[in-house]
Amino acid sequence: MSIVTVQLGQCGNQIGHEVFSAVCSDVHGTHGLCSKKENESYHDACKERFFCQEESEVPVARAVLVDMEPKVISQTLSVAARSGCWKYDDRSHFSQKQGSGNNWANGYSVHGPRHKEAIMNLVQKEAEKCDRLGGFFTIMSMAGGTGSGLGAFVTQCLRDAFPTSFILNHIIWPYGTGEVIVQNYNSVLTLSHLYQSSDALLVHENDVIHRICAQLMNIKQISFRDVNQVIAHQLGSVFQPTYTVEGGSHYSRNPLGSFQDPSLYTSWLNPQDAFNAWRTPRAFNKYEKSAALVSNSQFLLKPLDSVVGKAWNMFASKAYIHQYTKFGIEEEDFLDSFTALEQVISSYSIL
């Protein structure tokens, strides 16, 4: 099954590039932990999922790049091409010299509708190249303007155009100390809109990844690229293809003992469905062994409650509201978003 990746905004394009680099590095790596046949099967599955060969000498990423600032996309295309291992399709990107700044409303209400046809045409072309379309993977930040506002709009367009396809949104949670003065507004608006149109949200918190870089990797001067590479490696391992092993089923189940303890999970969930594990003898990248855990839990409850609380305090004092209303986002839209996320917080609180 093939995945079409949609990279949105500066953050989405930079992380998307790192994801494809990590996957390509893995595919070209030599791993002695599985048979040659298993390794070849893994290569084929991985390439089908992330790349298309076309008539190019190197694999071409199944991706659409979108930003209102052409500089980042230009750099991303160039760096990928110089790698010599893979590249982007030079025709699968959209940019305009009209940045959204940090204004969510500008991305959602202005740039989205204005450029909907051009962006969705690119998505449609990528989808048509797939023999078996598995779904869409979008990458965006919550804090900025293009990635969050335009990203929320594009996700709604994907849901309308591909109602039966799976849509997974990967979102970067901003630093708690603040990158953008209106980041909590942008986050609340983004999350509430994605909640309506996405099948699942996969979240990475910048603060958590920063601690990994500092405490586990001992990086002294942490750059955004260091953070992005950690995120990309985790995403690559999550999307690591499974394949039929000799004498086995497509998915090799591993109970992992205590993870199947029913007390860990909500009462209405069947214990057999609460936790699933798959494993493959194929190592990921340079690691002999690796594990990735994706969970739907109360882990994000505290940061979500914090973001909503900070945004509400600003909203109650009418701070910066005019930056949104001038682009068509009314106070009622904010109230609807707060209501939706308060319901999410309530639901997760009683798990």
Side-chain angles (χ1 to χ4, degrees), residues 69-142:
E69 301 281 358
K71 181 180 179 181
V72 172
I73 287 184
S74 178
Q75 290 175 339
T76 303
L77 294 173
S78 177
V79 172
R82 288 201 305 268
S83 72
C85 299
W86 68 280
K87 69 175 186 177
Y88 288 105
D89 187 337
D90 290 337
R91 300 160 294 180
S92 295
H93 65 88
F94 178 86
S95 63
Q96 292 282 313
K97 294 182 179 180
Q98 44 179 303
S100 299
N102 293 318
N103 195 300
W104 190 94
N106 198 8
Y108 182 85
S109 300
V110 179
H111 293 314
R114 180 181 296 166
H115 305 299
K116 173 183 176 180
E117 183 177 0
I119 294 171
M120 292 307 295
N121 281 342
L122 294 175
V123 172
Q124 185 68 44
K125 289 178 181 177
E126 285 299 320
E128 290 173 353
K129 293 178 186 177
C130 303
D131 293 329
R132 301 182 301 162
L133 176 63
F136 297 91
F137 178 52
T138 73
I139 309 175
M140 66 183 75
S141 166
M142 290 202 312

Side-chain angles (χ1 to χ4, degrees), residues 35 48-49 75 90 93 97 136 139 147 169 221 225 231 240 254 295 340:
S35 69
E48 180 190 14
R49 178 168 290 185
Q75 290 175 339
D90 290 337
H93 65 88
K97 294 182 179 180
F136 297 91
I139 309 175
N169 289 84
Q221 298 293 328
R225 189 174 185 198
I231 292 172
Q240 187 180 21
N254 175 20
S295 66

Side-chain angles (χ1 to χ4, degrees), residues 16-26 51 80 83 86 225 285:
H17 170 264
E18 297 295 347
V19 170
F20 283 109
S21 293
V23 170
C24 194
S25 173
D26 174 58
F51 299 95
S83 72
W86 68 280
R225 189 174 185 198
N285 261 318

Side-chain angles (χ1 to χ4, degrees), residues 19 22-23 26 42 49-50 230-241 280 284-285 290-294:
V19 170
V23 170
D26 174 58
Y42 179 91
R49 178 168 290 185
F50 292 103
V230 171
I231 292 172
H233 185 87
Q234 292 188 0
L235 289 174
S237 62
V238 166
F239 289 125
Q240 187 180 21
T280 171
F284 181 73
N285 261 318
S290 63
L293 173 67
V294 179

Side-chain angles (χ1 to χ4, degrees), residues 19-74:
V19 170
F20 283 109
S21 293
V23 170
C24 194
S25 173
D26 174 58
V27 170
H28 286 91
T30 55
H31 303 279
L33 301 180
C34 61
S35 69
K36 181 179 179 181
K37 182 178 179 180
E38 290 170 340
N39 200 43
E40 290 175 350
S41 177
Y42 179 91
H43 283 192
D44 293 340
C46 196
K47 287 181 178 178
E48 180 190 14
R49 178 168 290 185
F50 292 103
F51 299 95
C52 51
Q53 197 69 36
E54 295 186 334
E55 298 177 359
S56 172
E57 295 180 358
V58 296
V60 180
R62 295 187 186 276
V64 174
L65 291 69
V66 181
D67 199 356
M68 291 297 106
E69 301 281 358
K71 181 180 179 181
V72 172
I73 287 184
S74 178

